[in-house]
């Protein structure tokens, strides 16, 4: 890879040890993927924040990087393993909380904005069309490439952090126009509405086509919430980082593919039946990806003056800034008076809750995937309204 004089000096350690290590990672990646150079980026989103995933070796590495590493571009974090302020409310133990805070502090020392969220685009980490970025949360990567038209590969935690410390990323993959063209056309021949149905559609496409770049037709409109759910599911079931949705994705494609497949009612029914373990529900998870303000408002109005079943636990995960506005608007009180919990900064997959619950209901197909695979819960995908009804039964 060709390096500028400044990059060469970074690689030699002139800008400190953390920058040297970061350059080593970026150069290695660039060589593996055949990048010719590093390109400037405008924002970074770093995953690998939960202490449950990092443990001591991961934390040691971060602490080393934080000795002299400082980020050069605007950088935010993916969810942590707990609500950083109200972790006791979620029954997180003291030792985990102490260690999780050490992780967040290490990121903070590097100049990273320690708001922990998988929907950075909802609160200020919002790239525009054509900007090069280095994000790592898979649902956010898919959203950034496909809905916003930004350019990012699906970074791992260390490569995203390295990009933040250098302010650059190797130019390969989705940073190059020739790698962003669709390979197959999808004709959606069924009506898709609501976050849970968009999640099911993501599963249908991901299961069937893996990470092929698709050109999707037949979706006349979609809300931000439906698209974030779709991106989360499609990225989970198919490993997808980019799709083109007619009328939504801002990229202009060179040619709409001739090869096509249809998605029908039967495909959607099959996806729903595969995410229905027909089980007793004791845990309801909403806010995957992190709930928007309008979702919190909707949930608050649905729960106002009602009580959830005390034998069931409801977590609504969201970003801290979104919760702060919800606090001011009275939505948090309306939700928490019902017995449901708003969990900011965190996510039900990276929080240490394995074994605490048995049956999970969610409007997110991604949450069902990890709830079953990682936390060993039985799962059921249903609409947000049905999840809330289930919580009150
Ligand atoms: Fe976000 Fe966790 Fe879902 S990171 S996308 S809330 S699994």
């Amino acid at each position: 890879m060709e390096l500028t004089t400044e990059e060469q000096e970074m690689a030699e350690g002139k800008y400190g040890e953390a920058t040297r290590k970061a350059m080593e990672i970026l150069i290695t990646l660039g060589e593996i993927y055949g990048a010719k150079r590093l390109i400037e980026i405008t924002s970074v989103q770093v995953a690998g924040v939960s202490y449950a995933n990092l443990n001591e070796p991961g934390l040691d590495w971060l602490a080393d990087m934080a000795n002299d590493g400082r980020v050069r571009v605007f950088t935010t974090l993916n969810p942590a393993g707990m609500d950083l302020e109200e972790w006791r409310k979620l029954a997180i133990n003291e030792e985990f909380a102490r260690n999780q805070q050490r992780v967040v502090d290490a990121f903070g020392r590097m100049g990273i904005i320690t708001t922990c969220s998988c929907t950075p685009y909802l609160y200020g980490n919002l790239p525009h069309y054509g900007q090069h970025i280095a994000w790592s949360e898979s649902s956010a990567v898919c959203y950034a490439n496909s809905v916003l038209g930004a350019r990012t590969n699906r970074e791992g935690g260390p490569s995203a952090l390295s990009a933040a410390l250098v302010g650059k990323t190797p130019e390969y993959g989705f940073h190059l126009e020739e790698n962003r063209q669709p390979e197959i056309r999808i004709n959606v021949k069924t009506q898709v509405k609501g976050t849970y149905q968009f999640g099911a559609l993501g599963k249908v496409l991901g299961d069937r086509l893996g990470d092929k770049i698709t050109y999707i037709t037949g979706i006349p409109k979609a809300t931000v919430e439906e698209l974030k759910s779709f991106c989360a599911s499609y990225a989970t079931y198919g490993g997808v980082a980019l799709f083109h949705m007619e009328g939504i994705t801002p990229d202009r494609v060179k040619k709409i593919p001739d090869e096509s497949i249809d998605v029908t009612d039967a495909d959607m029914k099959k996806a729903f039946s595969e995410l229905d373990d027909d089980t007793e529900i004791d845990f309801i998870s909403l806010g995957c990806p992190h709930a928007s303000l309008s979702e919190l408002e909707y949930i608050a109005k649905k729960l106002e003056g009602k009580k959830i079943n005390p034998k069931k636990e409801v977590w609504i995960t969201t970003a801290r800034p979104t919760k702060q506005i919800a606090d001011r608007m009275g939505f948090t009180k309306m939700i928490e008076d019902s017995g449901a919990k708003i969990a900011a900064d965190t996510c039900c997959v990276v929080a240490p809750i394995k074994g605490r619950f048995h049956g999970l209901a969610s409007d997110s197909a991604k949450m069902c995937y990890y709830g079953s695979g990682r936390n060993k819960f039985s799962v059921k995908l249903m609409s947000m309204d049905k999840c809330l009804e289930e919580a009150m039964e």
Side-chain angles (χ1 to χ4, degrees), residues 123-244:
Y123 66 91
N125 192 351
L126 178 63
H128 64 64
Y129 176 78
Q131 282 188 319
H132 293 279
I133 60 175
W135 285 15
S136 39
E137 156 56 32
S138 64
S139 66
V141 164
C142 192
Y143 193 96
N145 275 320
S146 317
V147 180
L148 303 175
R151 274 95 175 96
T152 180
N153 288 319
R154 195 164 153 164
E155 302 290 346
S159 68
L161 179 61
S162 300
L165 294 171
V166 171
K168 295 181 180 180
T169 194
E171 187 181 36
Y172 69 91
F174 294 113
H175 293 288
L176 297 167
E177 289 311 310
E178 64 261 33
N179 297 329
R180 298 178 63 89
Q181 294 304 310
E183 299 161 86
I184 184 165
R185 176 183 166 131
I186 309 296
N187 308 310
V188 178
K189 302 251 166 147
T190 174
Q191 216 203 354
V192 187
K193 199 166 164 35
T195 48
Y196 71 121
Q197 290 193 5
F198 271 82
L201 177 63
K203 172 173 161 51
V204 169
L205 297 182
D207 283 348
R208 213 148 141 193
L209 296 160
D211 64 358
K212 265 193 178 174
I213 303 178
T214 51
Y215 184 89
I216 303 166
T217 65
I219 305 279
K221 57 182 181 180
T223 65
V224 166
E225 289 76 14
E226 288 167 338
L227 288 168
K228 74 178 167 67
S229 179
F230 177 65
C231 288
S233 174
Y234 200 5
T236 297
Y237 290 91
V240 167
L242 166 68
F243 60 82
H244 296 264

Side-chain angles (χ1 to χ4, degrees), residues 78-79 118 137 139 232 287-290 317 346-349 366-367 370:
N78 217 29
C118 49
E137 156 56 32
S139 66
C288 169
H290 272 175
T317 43
T346 191
C347 141
C348 302
V349 171
K366 176 175 180 177
M367 184 51 64
Y370 284 107

